[in-house]
Amino acid sequence: MSPHTEPIRITRQDTGEVEVNGPVDELARRLLEHAGFIFHPTLSGFWIRLHFDTGQDNENRQATHAAQMLSAVGYPVDLDPNLLPTAGHPGPVNWWPHRTVTAMPSQPAPHTPQHPRR
């Protein structure tokens, strides 16, 4: 769980690029990089963005995937509604539920004797 209360914001700028702003620690950085975001050093920190010219649909998928991963591990995330795969989604921006279900351990199948065919 992130100790931050300020959300990580993923937005499409007026110029078209998809950027991330807000508190990004090492785990958030790794998740964003896994989703395809790149980090450019600046004087005040990092400029975090997707590659240019990959197409709006691909950028929307990458941004949504990043927001889902960040939200799944407890980061507060504000995702620009225009980045949702179905732009203009009426629901709240941070709409991913936190993971509460764990996989059940696999159980061996009960042994049932097999009778030869007659």
Side-chain angles (χ1 to χ4, degrees):
M1 188 78 161
S2 171
H4 303 290
T5 56
E6 180 185 348
I8 297 172
R9 290 178 184 81
I10 305 174
T11 59
R12 182 178 304 281
Q13 302 300 314
D14 293 338
T15 53
E17 58 266 345
V18 177
E19 296 181 353
V20 174
N21 294 294
V24 175
D25 60 17
E26 186 60 30
L27 175 58
R29 178 186 176 120
R30 288 176 187 234
L31 293 171
L32 289 165
E33 286 175 337
H34 181 73
F37 283 85
I38 53 178
F39 287 68
H40 291 287
T42 66
L43 292 175
S44 61
F46 286 96
W47 178 30
I48 308 166
R49 66 171 178 82
L50 288 175
H51 290 277
F52 297 132
D53 299 329
T54 61
Q56 230 176 21
D57 288 341
N58 189 49
E59 292 168 347
N60 291 358
R61 279 190 299 277
Q62 287 178 276
T64 300
H65 181 60
Q68 288 171 332
M69 288 190 297
L70 290 164
S71 184
V73 297
Y75 289 98
V77 178
D78 283 341
L79 177 65
D80 183 339
N82 293 319
L83 290 171
L84 292 169
T86 53
H89 186 277
V93 175
N94 191 7
W95 52 273
W96 298 279
H98 294 292
R99 186 171 295 202
T100 57
V101 179
T102 57
M104 297 295 294
S106 61
Q107 299 288 331
H111 178 66
T112 55
Q114 295 195 4
H115 300 288
R117 291 189 182 191
R118 294 183 185 187

Short mmCIF file of all heavy atoms in Angstrom, two decimals, residues 1-2 8 10 20 25 27-37 39 50 60-77 79 93-99:
data_model
loop_
_atom_site.label_atom_id
_atom_site.label_comp_id
_atom_site.label_asym_id
_atom_site.label_seq_id
_atom_site.Cartn_x
_atom_site.Cartn_y
_atom_site.Cartn_z
N MET A 1 0.84 -1.18 0.00
CA MET A 1 0.00 0.00 0.00
C MET A 1 0.88 1.24 0.00
O MET A 1 1.84 1.33 0.74
CB MET A 1 -0.90 -0.05 1.23
CG MET A 1 -1.95 0.99 1.27
SD MET A 1 -3.29 0.52 0.18
CE MET A 1 -4.54 1.53 0.82
N SER A 2 0.54 2.17 -0.81
CA SER A 2 1.31 3.40 -0.90
C SER A 2 1.02 4.31 0.28
O SER A 2 -0.13 4.47 0.68
CB SER A 2 0.95 4.13 -2.20
OG SER A 2 1.52 5.40 -2.22
N ILE A 8 -1.53 9.43 -8.16
CA ILE A 8 -0.71 9.45 -9.37
C ILE A 8 -1.68 9.78 -10.51
O ILE A 8 -2.69 9.11 -10.67
CB ILE A 8 -0.02 8.10 -9.60
CG1 ILE A 8 0.95 7.80 -8.45
CG2 ILE A 8 0.69 8.07 -10.95
CD1 ILE A 8 1.55 6.41 -8.47
N ILE A 10 -2.56 10.21 -14.50
CA ILE A 10 -2.19 9.83 -15.86
C ILE A 10 -3.14 10.59 -16.78
O ILE A 10 -4.35 10.40 -16.73
CB ILE A 10 -2.31 8.31 -16.08
CG1 ILE A 10 -1.49 7.55 -15.05
CG2 ILE A 10 -1.88 7.94 -17.50
CD1 ILE A 10 -1.66 6.03 -15.08
N VAL A 20 2.53 11.24 -16.84
CA VAL A 20 2.24 10.88 -15.46
C VAL A 20 2.80 11.97 -14.56
O VAL A 20 3.94 12.41 -14.74
CB VAL A 20 2.89 9.51 -15.10
CG1 VAL A 20 2.72 9.21 -13.62
CG2 VAL A 20 2.30 8.40 -15.95
N ASP A 25 7.10 6.37 -6.50
CA ASP A 25 8.23 5.73 -5.81
C ASP A 25 8.77 4.61 -6.70
O ASP A 25 8.37 4.47 -7.87
CB ASP A 25 7.81 5.24 -4.43
CG ASP A 25 6.69 4.21 -4.46
OD1 ASP A 25 6.41 3.63 -5.53
OD2 ASP A 25 6.08 3.97 -3.39
N LEU A 27 8.42 1.27 -6.69
CA LEU A 27 7.46 0.28 -7.17
C LEU A 27 6.58 0.87 -8.27
O LEU A 27 6.36 0.24 -9.32
CB LEU A 27 6.60 -0.25 -6.02
CG LEU A 27 5.47 -1.21 -6.42
CD1 LEU A 27 6.04 -2.44 -7.15
CD2 LEU A 27 4.66 -1.61 -5.21
N ALA A 28 6.08 2.07 -8.05
CA ALA A 28 5.25 2.72 -9.07
C ALA A 28 6.05 2.91 -10.36
O ALA A 28 5.53 2.71 -11.46
CB ALA A 28 4.73 4.06 -8.55
N ARG A 29 7.32 3.26 -10.23
CA ARG A 29 8.17 3.44 -11.41
C ARG A 29 8.27 2.13 -12.19
O ARG A 29 8.14 2.12 -13.41
CB ARG A 29 9.56 3.92 -11.00
CG ARG A 29 10.49 4.07 -12.19
CD ARG A 29 11.92 4.42 -11.78
NE ARG A 29 12.75 4.47 -12.96
CZ ARG A 29 13.43 5.53 -13.36
NH1 ARG A 29 13.37 6.65 -12.66
NH2 ARG A 29 14.15 5.50 -14.45
N ARG A 30 8.49 1.04 -11.50
CA ARG A 30 8.61 -0.25 -12.19
C ARG A 30 7.32 -0.63 -12.89
O ARG A 30 7.33 -1.16 -14.00
CB ARG A 30 9.03 -1.34 -11.20
CG ARG A 30 10.46 -1.21 -10.76
CD ARG A 30 10.79 -2.25 -9.71
NE ARG A 30 12.11 -2.02 -9.18
CZ ARG A 30 13.06 -2.92 -9.16
NH1 ARG A 30 12.84 -4.14 -9.61
NH2 ARG A 30 14.24 -2.64 -8.66
N LEU A 31 6.19 -0.39 -12.24
CA LEU A 31 4.90 -0.70 -12.86
C LEU A 31 4.66 0.17 -14.09
O LEU A 31 4.19 -0.32 -15.13
CB LEU A 31 3.76 -0.53 -11.85
CG LEU A 31 3.77 -1.52 -10.68
CD1 LEU A 31 2.74 -1.12 -9.63
CD2 LEU A 31 3.54 -2.94 -11.17
N LEU A 32 4.99 1.45 -13.98
CA LEU A 32 4.82 2.34 -15.13
C LEU A 32 5.74 1.94 -16.29
O LEU A 32 5.32 1.94 -17.45
CB LEU A 32 5.08 3.80 -14.72
CG LEU A 32 4.00 4.42 -13.83
CD1 LEU A 32 4.50 5.69 -13.19
CD2 LEU A 32 2.73 4.66 -14.65
N GLU A 33 6.97 1.59 -15.98
CA GLU A 33 7.89 1.13 -17.03
C GLU A 33 7.36 -0.15 -17.67
O GLU A 33 7.45 -0.31 -18.90
CB GLU A 33 9.29 0.92 -16.46
CG GLU A 33 10.02 2.21 -16.18
CD GLU A 33 11.37 2.01 -15.50
OE1 GLU A 33 11.59 0.96 -14.85
OE2 GLU A 33 12.20 2.93 -15.61
N HIS A 34 6.80 -1.05 -16.87
CA HIS A 34 6.24 -2.29 -17.41
C HIS A 34 5.09 -1.99 -18.38
O HIS A 34 4.90 -2.71 -19.36
CB HIS A 34 5.76 -3.18 -16.26
CG HIS A 34 5.19 -4.47 -16.71
ND1 HIS A 34 5.96 -5.50 -17.20
CD2 HIS A 34 3.90 -4.91 -16.77
CE1 HIS A 34 5.17 -6.51 -17.54
NE2 HIS A 34 3.92 -6.18 -17.29
N ALA A 35 4.35 -0.92 -18.11
CA ALA A 35 3.23 -0.53 -18.98
C ALA A 35 3.70 0.26 -20.19
O ALA A 35 2.89 0.59 -21.05
CB ALA A 35 2.22 0.29 -18.18
N GLY A 36 4.99 0.56 -20.28
CA GLY A 36 5.51 1.24 -21.47
C GLY A 36 5.86 2.71 -21.29
O GLY A 36 6.23 3.38 -22.26
N PHE A 37 5.77 3.22 -20.08
CA PHE A 37 6.13 4.62 -19.85
C PHE A 37 7.65 4.76 -19.78
O PHE A 37 8.35 3.84 -19.34
CB PHE A 37 5.50 5.14 -18.55
CG PHE A 37 4.05 5.47 -18.69
CD1 PHE A 37 3.10 4.47 -18.55
CD2 PHE A 37 3.63 6.75 -18.99
CE1 PHE A 37 1.74 4.75 -18.69
CE2 PHE A 37 2.28 7.05 -19.13
CZ PHE A 37 1.34 6.04 -18.99
N PHE A 39 10.99 7.38 -18.66
CA PHE A 39 11.36 8.40 -17.69
C PHE A 39 12.52 9.21 -18.27
O PHE A 39 13.58 8.66 -18.56
CB PHE A 39 11.80 7.74 -16.38
CG PHE A 39 10.66 7.16 -15.60
CD1 PHE A 39 9.95 6.06 -16.05
CD2 PHE A 39 10.29 7.73 -14.39
CE1 PHE A 39 8.90 5.53 -15.34
CE2 PHE A 39 9.23 7.20 -13.65
CZ PHE A 39 8.54 6.11 -14.13
N LEU A 50 4.49 8.33 -22.27
CA LEU A 50 4.52 7.23 -23.24
C LEU A 50 5.30 7.68 -24.46
O LEU A 50 5.47 8.89 -24.71
CB LEU A 50 3.10 6.85 -23.66
CG LEU A 50 2.26 6.11 -22.61
CD1 LEU A 50 0.83 5.91 -23.12
CD2 LEU A 50 2.89 4.78 -22.27
N ASN A 60 -4.13 4.59 -25.04
CA ASN A 60 -5.24 4.39 -24.09
C ASN A 60 -5.10 3.05 -23.38
O ASN A 60 -5.29 2.97 -22.17
CB ASN A 60 -6.58 4.47 -24.80
CG ASN A 60 -6.91 5.87 -25.28
OD1 ASN A 60 -6.16 6.81 -25.06
ND2 ASN A 60 -8.03 6.01 -25.96
N ARG A 61 -4.77 1.99 -24.14
CA ARG A 61 -4.59 0.67 -23.52
C ARG A 61 -3.43 0.68 -22.52
O ARG A 61 -3.54 0.14 -21.42
CB ARG A 61 -4.35 -0.40 -24.59
CG ARG A 61 -5.62 -0.89 -25.25
CD ARG A 61 -5.36 -2.10 -26.12
NE ARG A 61 -4.42 -1.85 -27.21
CZ ARG A 61 -4.76 -1.31 -28.38
NH1 ARG A 61 -5.99 -0.97 -28.63
NH2 ARG A 61 -3.84 -1.11 -29.31
N GLN A 62 -2.32 1.29 -22.90
CA GLN A 62 -1.16 1.33 -22.01
C GLN A 62 -1.45 2.13 -20.74
O GLN A 62 -1.09 1.72 -19.64
CB GLN A 62 0.05 1.94 -22.74
CG GLN A 62 0.66 1.03 -23.77
CD GLN A 62 1.81 1.71 -24.47
OE1 GLN A 62 1.60 2.46 -25.42
NE2 GLN A 62 3.01 1.47 -23.99
N ALA A 63 -2.11 3.27 -20.89
CA ALA A 63 -2.42 4.11 -19.74
C ALA A 63 -3.40 3.40 -18.81
O ALA A 63 -3.24 3.42 -17.58
CB ALA A 63 -3.00 5.45 -20.20
N THR A 64 -4.41 2.75 -19.37
CA THR A 64 -5.39 2.02 -18.56
C THR A 64 -4.72 0.86 -17.85
O THR A 64 -4.97 0.61 -16.66
CB THR A 64 -6.55 1.53 -19.44
OG1 THR A 64 -7.18 2.67 -20.04
CG2 THR A 64 -7.57 0.75 -18.63
N HIS A 65 -3.85 0.15 -18.55
CA HIS A 65 -3.12 -0.97 -17.94
C HIS A 65 -2.27 -0.48 -16.77
O HIS A 65 -2.25 -1.08 -15.69
CB HIS A 65 -2.26 -1.66 -19.00
CG HIS A 65 -1.49 -2.83 -18.49
ND1 HIS A 65 -2.09 -3.94 -17.93
CD2 HIS A 65 -0.15 -3.05 -18.45
CE1 HIS A 65 -1.15 -4.79 -17.57
NE2 HIS A 65 0.03 -4.28 -17.86
N ALA A 66 -1.58 0.63 -16.96
CA ALA A 66 -0.76 1.19 -15.88
C ALA A 66 -1.62 1.57 -14.68
O ALA A 66 -1.29 1.25 -13.54
CB ALA A 66 -0.01 2.43 -16.39
N ALA A 67 -2.76 2.21 -14.94
CA ALA A 67 -3.65 2.61 -13.85
C ALA A 67 -4.20 1.39 -13.11
O ALA A 67 -4.30 1.40 -11.88
CB ALA A 67 -4.79 3.46 -14.40
N GLN A 68 -4.52 0.34 -13.83
CA GLN A 68 -5.03 -0.87 -13.20
C GLN A 68 -3.96 -1.51 -12.31
O GLN A 68 -4.26 -1.93 -11.19
CB GLN A 68 -5.50 -1.86 -14.25
CG GLN A 68 -6.78 -1.44 -14.93
CD GLN A 68 -7.13 -2.33 -16.12
OE1 GLN A 68 -6.26 -2.89 -16.77
NE2 GLN A 68 -8.41 -2.42 -16.41
N MET A 69 -2.73 -1.59 -12.81
CA MET A 69 -1.66 -2.18 -12.00
C MET A 69 -1.39 -1.36 -10.75
O MET A 69 -1.25 -1.91 -9.65
CB MET A 69 -0.37 -2.33 -12.83
CG MET A 69 -0.42 -3.41 -13.87
SD MET A 69 1.19 -3.73 -14.62
CE MET A 69 1.55 -2.17 -15.42
N LEU A 70 -1.30 -0.04 -10.90
CA LEU A 70 -1.04 0.83 -9.76
C LEU A 70 -2.16 0.73 -8.73
O LEU A 70 -1.92 0.61 -7.53
CB LEU A 70 -0.88 2.27 -10.22
CG LEU A 70 0.39 2.58 -11.01
CD1 LEU A 70 0.26 3.92 -11.74
CD2 LEU A 70 1.61 2.58 -10.10
N SER A 71 -3.39 0.76 -9.21
CA SER A 71 -4.54 0.68 -8.31
C SER A 71 -4.60 -0.67 -7.61
O SER A 71 -4.96 -0.75 -6.44
CB SER A 71 -5.82 0.93 -9.12
OG SER A 71 -6.94 0.94 -8.28
N ALA A 72 -4.24 -1.74 -8.33
CA ALA A 72 -4.31 -3.09 -7.75
C ALA A 72 -3.39 -3.25 -6.54
O ALA A 72 -3.68 -4.04 -5.65
CB ALA A 72 -3.97 -4.14 -8.81
N VAL A 73 -2.29 -2.51 -6.52
CA VAL A 73 -1.38 -2.62 -5.37
C VAL A 73 -1.58 -1.49 -4.37
O VAL A 73 -0.81 -1.35 -3.43
CB VAL A 73 0.11 -2.71 -5.81
CG1 VAL A 73 0.36 -3.96 -6.61
CG2 VAL A 73 0.55 -1.48 -6.55
N GLY A 74 -2.64 -0.70 -4.55
CA GLY A 74 -3.02 0.26 -3.53
C GLY A 74 -2.70 1.72 -3.76
O GLY A 74 -2.95 2.54 -2.88
N TYR A 75 -2.16 2.07 -4.91
CA TYR A 75 -1.89 3.49 -5.18
C TYR A 75 -3.18 4.20 -5.55
O TYR A 75 -3.98 3.66 -6.33
CB TYR A 75 -0.90 3.66 -6.34
CG TYR A 75 0.50 3.25 -6.02
CD1 TYR A 75 0.97 2.00 -6.37
CD2 TYR A 75 1.37 4.12 -5.37
CE1 TYR A 75 2.27 1.61 -6.09
CE2 TYR A 75 2.67 3.74 -5.08
CZ TYR A 75 3.11 2.49 -5.45
OH TYR A 75 4.39 2.11 -5.16
N PRO A 76 -3.39 5.41 -5.04
CA PRO A 76 -4.52 6.19 -5.55
C PRO A 76 -4.15 6.69 -6.94
O PRO A 76 -3.06 7.21 -7.16
CB PRO A 76 -4.65 7.34 -4.55
CG PRO A 76 -3.32 7.43 -3.87
CD PRO A 76 -2.68 6.07 -3.96
N VAL A 77 -5.05 6.49 -7.90
CA VAL A 77 -4.76 6.82 -9.30
C VAL A 77 -5.90 7.65 -9.87
O VAL A 77 -7.07 7.31 -9.70
CB VAL A 77 -4.60 5.55 -10.15
CG1 VAL A 77 -4.34 5.90 -11.61
CG2 VAL A 77 -3.49 4.66 -9.62
N LEU A 79 -7.02 8.59 -13.51
CA LEU A 79 -6.82 8.34 -14.93
C LEU A 79 -7.76 9.24 -15.71
O LEU A 79 -8.98 9.23 -15.48
CB LEU A 79 -7.10 6.87 -15.26
CG LEU A 79 -7.01 6.47 -16.73
CD1 LEU A 79 -5.58 6.63 -17.25
CD2 LEU A 79 -7.48 5.04 -16.92
N VAL A 93 -13.09 7.99 -12.12
CA VAL A 93 -11.81 7.74 -12.76
C VAL A 93 -11.06 6.61 -12.08
O VAL A 93 -10.51 5.74 -12.74
CB VAL A 93 -10.96 9.04 -12.76
CG1 VAL A 93 -9.59 8.79 -13.32
CG2 VAL A 93 -11.67 10.09 -13.60
N ASN A 94 -11.03 6.59 -10.77
CA ASN A 94 -10.33 5.52 -10.04
C ASN A 94 -11.34 4.41 -9.75
O ASN A 94 -11.79 4.24 -8.65
CB ASN A 94 -9.72 6.08 -8.75
CG ASN A 94 -8.78 5.10 -8.11
OD1 ASN A 94 -8.48 4.06 -8.67
ND2 ASN A 94 -8.33 5.42 -6.92
N TRP A 95 -11.67 3.63 -10.76
CA TRP A 95 -12.77 2.67 -10.66
C TRP A 95 -12.34 1.24 -10.47
O TRP A 95 -13.16 0.35 -10.48
CB TRP A 95 -13.66 2.77 -11.88
CG TRP A 95 -12.96 2.69 -13.18
CD1 TRP A 95 -12.40 3.73 -13.88
CD2 TRP A 95 -12.72 1.54 -13.99
NE1 TRP A 95 -11.83 3.30 -15.03
CE2 TRP A 95 -12.01 1.96 -15.14
CE3 TRP A 95 -13.03 0.19 -13.86
CZ2 TRP A 95 -11.62 1.07 -16.12
CZ3 TRP A 95 -12.63 -0.68 -14.85
CH2 TRP A 95 -11.94 -0.23 -15.97
N TRP A 96 -11.06 0.96 -10.25
CA TRP A 96 -10.62 -0.42 -10.10
C TRP A 96 -10.69 -0.82 -8.64
O TRP A 96 -10.14 -0.16 -7.78
CB TRP A 96 -9.19 -0.58 -10.61
CG TRP A 96 -9.14 -0.26 -12.04
CD1 TRP A 96 -9.46 -1.07 -13.07
CD2 TRP A 96 -8.77 0.98 -12.62
NE1 TRP A 96 -9.32 -0.42 -14.25
CE2 TRP A 96 -8.89 0.84 -14.01
CE3 TRP A 96 -8.36 2.20 -12.10
CZ2 TRP A 96 -8.61 1.87 -14.89
CZ3 TRP A 96 -8.09 3.22 -12.97
CH2 TRP A 96 -8.22 3.05 -14.34
N PRO A 97 -11.34 -1.94 -8.34
CA PRO A 97 -11.39 -2.38 -6.94
C PRO A 97 -10.04 -2.92 -6.50
O PRO A 97 -9.28 -3.44 -7.32
CB PRO A 97 -12.45 -3.49 -6.96
CG PRO A 97 -12.41 -4.01 -8.36
CD PRO A 97 -12.04 -2.84 -9.23
N HIS A 98 -9.76 -2.80 -5.22
CA HIS A 98 -8.53 -3.37 -4.69
C HIS A 98 -8.66 -4.89 -4.67
O HIS A 98 -9.74 -5.42 -4.47
CB HIS A 98 -8.24 -2.85 -3.29
CG HIS A 98 -7.95 -1.39 -3.28
ND1 HIS A 98 -6.83 -0.86 -3.85
CD2 HIS A 98 -8.66 -0.33 -2.82
CE1 HIS A 98 -6.84 0.45 -3.71
NE2 HIS A 98 -7.94 0.79 -3.10
N ARG A 99 -7.58 -5.56 -4.89
CA ARG A 99 -7.58 -7.01 -4.92
C ARG A 99 -7.88 -7.54 -3.53
O ARG A 99 -7.18 -7.24 -2.58
CB ARG A 99 -6.23 -7.51 -5.41
CG ARG A 99 -6.18 -8.99 -5.62
CD ARG A 99 -4.91 -9.36 -6.28
NE ARG A 99 -4.94 -8.76 -7.61
CZ ARG A 99 -4.22 -9.19 -8.61
NH1 ARG A 99 -3.40 -10.17 -8.46
NH2 ARG A 99 -4.30 -8.62 -9.79
#
